[in-house]
Amino acid sequence: MSDGPGDATVRTARLDLLPLSVAHADEMARVLADPALHTFTGGTPLTAPELRARYERLVAGSPDPAVLWCNWVVRLRAEHRLTGTVQATVTEGGRTAEVAWVTGTEWQGRGIAREAARALVDLLLARGVRTVLAHIHPDHTASATVARAAGLTPTDEEQDGEVRWELRNAP
């Protein structure tokens, strides 16, 4: 993987994927405030100060030089509002990326996660990633729909109660 993909702003038909900044924490704390967003992942919503501290760590980058953290906030241009996040953890010299996404409750059901995840996967593949992975709770049908739309397929492997999804791109 040549350049770090997390430094790029990605535009889709309706969205801007903006590289994560600590300045996004206050707005994102409101976007991610619904406890229902944690149904399948556990935990509770972070407060703005807690999210700011988390974003400071993410923006600083992985302490492991072999791991690249790429994080974006998703902005719906028509509403001039942040609606969620997408992320990729890139390993194996840029050959493998594990991806995840979350869309705030208010914006769910509008195809935002699907559009953002597809853009993320396309960016990663264009930057040389050969294997894209996601881990999804077997009952999280909305996330499975997003993964499928992004080109991933479920495998028979499970980790921590989640199904491993993957997309392999031939070299």
Side-chain angles (χ1 to χ4, degrees):
M1 176 165 261
S2 54
D3 301 330
D7 297 333
T9 295
V10 180
R11 289 180 59 91
T12 69
R14 300 178 299 153
L15 308 173
D16 292 323
L17 279 57
L18 306 171
L20 181 69
S21 164
V22 175
H24 295 128
D26 289 340
E27 185 175 355
M28 287 305 301
R30 291 187 296 276
V31 171
L32 303 174
D34 186 352
L37 292 174
H38 297 270
T39 299
F40 296 106
T41 60
T44 58
L46 298 177
T47 65
E50 291 168 332
L51 199 56
R52 196 170 10 273
R54 176 174 169 75
Y55 286 2
E56 285 172 358
R57 289 188 304 275
L58 291 173
V59 168
S62 170
D64 181 345
V67 176
L68 181 62
W69 291 343
C70 306
N71 296 275
W72 294 263
V73 292
V74 178
R75 179 176 60 198
L76 182 60
R77 281 194 301 277
E79 296 183 13
H80 306 288
R81 294 187 60 196
L82 300 180
T83 62
T85 64
V86 292
Q87 63 188 52
T89 300
V90 183
T91 58
E92 297 182 17
R95 292 185 305 276
T96 301
E98 184 160 346
V99 298
W101 46 82
V102 64
T103 299
T105 306
E106 181 179 341
W107 298 275
Q108 290 180 3
R110 295 167 59 180
I112 291 170
R114 185 173 51 247
E115 187 173 331
R118 181 73 249 177
L120 171 60
V121 169
D122 288 347
L123 173 68
L124 294 168
L125 296 176
R127 297 289 179 98
V129 169
R130 294 291 165 223
T131 303
V132 180
L133 305 171
H135 289 87
I136 300 172
H137 190 283
D139 295 331
H140 199 330
T141 56
S143 199
T145 299
V146 170
R148 196 168 275 111
L152 283 76
T153 55
T155 69
D156 294 332
E157 294 180 48
E158 282 195 26
Q159 180 180 338
D160 298 326
E162 295 183 322
V163 175
R164 176 182 164 127
W165 287 66
E166 66 181 43
L167 172 118
R168 292 199 180 269
N169 189 31

